[in-house]
Amino acid sequence: KVYNPLQNLSSSQQKYSVSNSSLSEFGVLGFELGFSQHNPNSLVCWEAQFGDFFNTAQPIIDQFISSGQDKWYRQSNLVMLLPHGMEGMGPEHSSARMERFLQMCNDDEDSKYEGVSSDQQLWDCNWQIMNLTTPANMFHALRRQMHMNFRKPLVIFTPKSLLRHPLARSSFDDMIPGTSFKPIIPESHDVTKTKKLILCSGKVYYDLYEERAKRGMEEDIAITRIEQLHPFPHSLVDEELKRYPQGTQISWVQEEHKNAGSWANIKPRVENHLTSEQHFGYIGRGPAASAATGNKKLHKTEYKKLMDDSFAL
């Protein structure tokens, strides 16, 4: 008899099953979407082998997932797990084209959503877009899918390297009753002497964290993670920005190219919360047609420049 630990977590749990499907993304994703609508009490997760493999299922995403509730009056809690990250794997295995998903989001980039609760934002959004950095947040994001009293699709960008990264771990204390999902994870250090605030999302946080320690710049540089990109956590970002002294540099750092990733989506939303004296800058790779270089040496050169630019004062 085969013993499956995830099938034996408690005596009252539901069935846990894993299926290894063929690389027929259009058909398989369409099936999973239909299953999630037919049985909304199931947590249905579809994971692409690499994030960019979703592109052959684009009609399902465009026609049914991103706009299903608006067009068809059908709710779904389907979870799409898309491996994504500049890990030196070349142009076909680096990007889940985050920018495409963010472009299809239905919020207003010119609004601060003042007075709108996070629950209302969740109800109003067409789907949730996340780029997570901790196991605890992954746990809470999936748990929330089942505990909401309505259903919304969820897209999570999931770098493969974080599966084995020694810093990408959480205490069980972060997953017990009384804890919850964190749309942003603020800098935990004292920020009264901060000269530069870096906002980022996803795997690049760990690169920045380790590089900051290596350079001994903890007092000068603060790093805050935006875990939930849509619906955008306006009130939490506003609260975080107000912690910092006037004159603090504020920059968005991403490992994706400038015409990719979340920069175009993040820029106007963060700028809504800045004063007229504050400037929000971009740090990252320049624009490119290809999702990533296929040359390992060039990849390392780009990475070094990204770190140097991020910690320049």
Side-chain angles (χ1 to χ4, degrees):
K1 182 180 179 181
V2 176
Y3 177 79
N4 186 336
L6 293 175
Q7 194 73 274
N8 294 273
L9 296 176
S10 73
S11 58
S12 59
Q13 76 174 68
Q14 296 300 311
K15 182 181 178 182
Y16 172 80
S17 63
V18 178
S19 300
N20 197 5
S21 60
S22 65
L23 292 179
S24 305
E25 289 82 2
F26 176 83
V28 175
L29 186 60
F31 173 84
E32 301 294 5
L33 172 64
F35 191 96
S36 71
Q37 292 175 334
H38 180 73
N39 189 350
N41 293 319
S42 291
L43 178 61
V44 180
C45 302
W46 177 78
E47 182 176 35
Q49 184 176 3
F50 284 93
D52 47 4
F53 285 26
F54 84 87
N55 55 17
T56 57
Q58 194 78 52
I60 297 294
I61 295 165
D62 292 350
Q63 301 296 325
F64 299 102
I65 300 178
S66 69
S67 56
Q69 183 172 337
D70 212 29
K71 289 197 299 188
W72 311 109
Y73 304 105
R74 296 296 303 274
Q75 292 189 348
S76 167
N77 69 343
L78 176 68
V79 180
M80 294 178 62
L81 302 169
L82 303 178
H84 171 92
M86 296 292 208
E87 299 171 341
M89 297 292 289
E92 307 308 328
H93 297 321
S94 296
S95 176
R97 291 298 184 183
M98 183 187 298
E99 62 277 6
R100 295 185 191 173
F101 291 90
L102 291 172
Q103 189 180 40
M104 289 188 279
C105 293
N106 66 341
D107 64 335
D108 184 356
E109 66 178 34
D110 297 320
S111 174
K112 293 184 181 181
Y113 287 85
E114 293 175 296
V116 181
S117 69
S118 57
D119 288 342
Q120 185 64 49
Q121 276 191 282
L122 275 174
W123 169 256
D124 292 338
C125 75
N126 59 323
W127 56 9
Q128 307 158 82
I129 309 293
M130 299 179 185
N131 196 14
L132 307 178
T133 59
T134 69
N137 245 7
M138 175 68 81
F139 166 78
H140 285 298
L142 296 177
R143 185 176 183 272
R144 188 172 75 173
Q145 283 295 92
M146 302 308 297
H147 280 268
M148 291 191 297
N149 57 8
F150 52 88
R151 295 293 181 251
K152 290 287 176 178
L154 170 59
V155 181
I156 306 180
F157 297 95
T158 54
K160 290 182 182 256
S161 63
L162 293 195
L163 290 171
R164 56 186 180 275
H165 200 294
L167 294 177
R169 57 186 179 182
S170 298
S171 166
F172 281 118
D173 291 340
D174 296 327
M175 294 177 256
I176 60 176
T179 60
S180 61
F181 176 73
K182 296 179 180 179
I184 78 168
I185 302 180
E187 173 59 70
S188 58
H189 293 163
D190 176 30
V191 300
T192 54
K193 297 181 180 179
T194 296
K195 297 176 182 177
K196 185 175 188 177
L197 167 62
I198 289 175
L199 299 177
C200 66
S201 186
K203 178 184 78 69
V204 74
Y205 165 75
Y206 292 106
D207 298 328
L208 294 167
Y209 180 88
E210 291 181 305
E211 189 69 23
R212 182 179 66 174
K214 190 188 303 181
R215 299 184 186 218
M217 299 183 72
E218 288 89 349
E219 190 175 89
D220 297 324
I221 307 283
I223 308 172
T224 289
R225 290 165 272 178
I226 299 182
E227 302 273 291
Q228 179 177 286
L229 299 170
H230 180 75
F232 190 76
H234 284 275
S235 61
L236 296 176
V237 169
D238 190 66
E239 183 181 313
E240 174 66 4
L241 292 173
K242 288 176 179 175
R243 294 173 60 205
Y244 294 86
Q246 283 294 321
T248 301
Q249 297 179 49
I250 305 173
S251 297
W252 177 258
V253 174
Q254 66 177 37
E255 56 182 1
E256 300 90 352
H257 292 284
K258 191 173 184 179
N259 59 327
S262 50
W263 167 241
N265 181 271
I266 286 288
K267 184 177 186 290
R269 289 162 178 80
V270 170
E271 287 181 337
N272 285 335
H273 300 281
L274 300 180
T275 66
S276 57
E277 290 78 30
Q278 290 176 309
H279 171 71
F280 186 42
Y282 168 81
I283 298 173
R285 290 171 167 86
S290 177
T293 178
N295 184 296
K296 190 73 171 181
K297 183 178 180 180
L298 181 55
H299 170 77
K300 291 180 178 179
T301 300
E302 291 177 345
Y303 175 82
K304 182 180 184 304
K305 185 178 186 304
L306 176 64
M307 292 297 109
D308 288 342
D309 291 347
S310 298
F311 292 97
L313 293 175

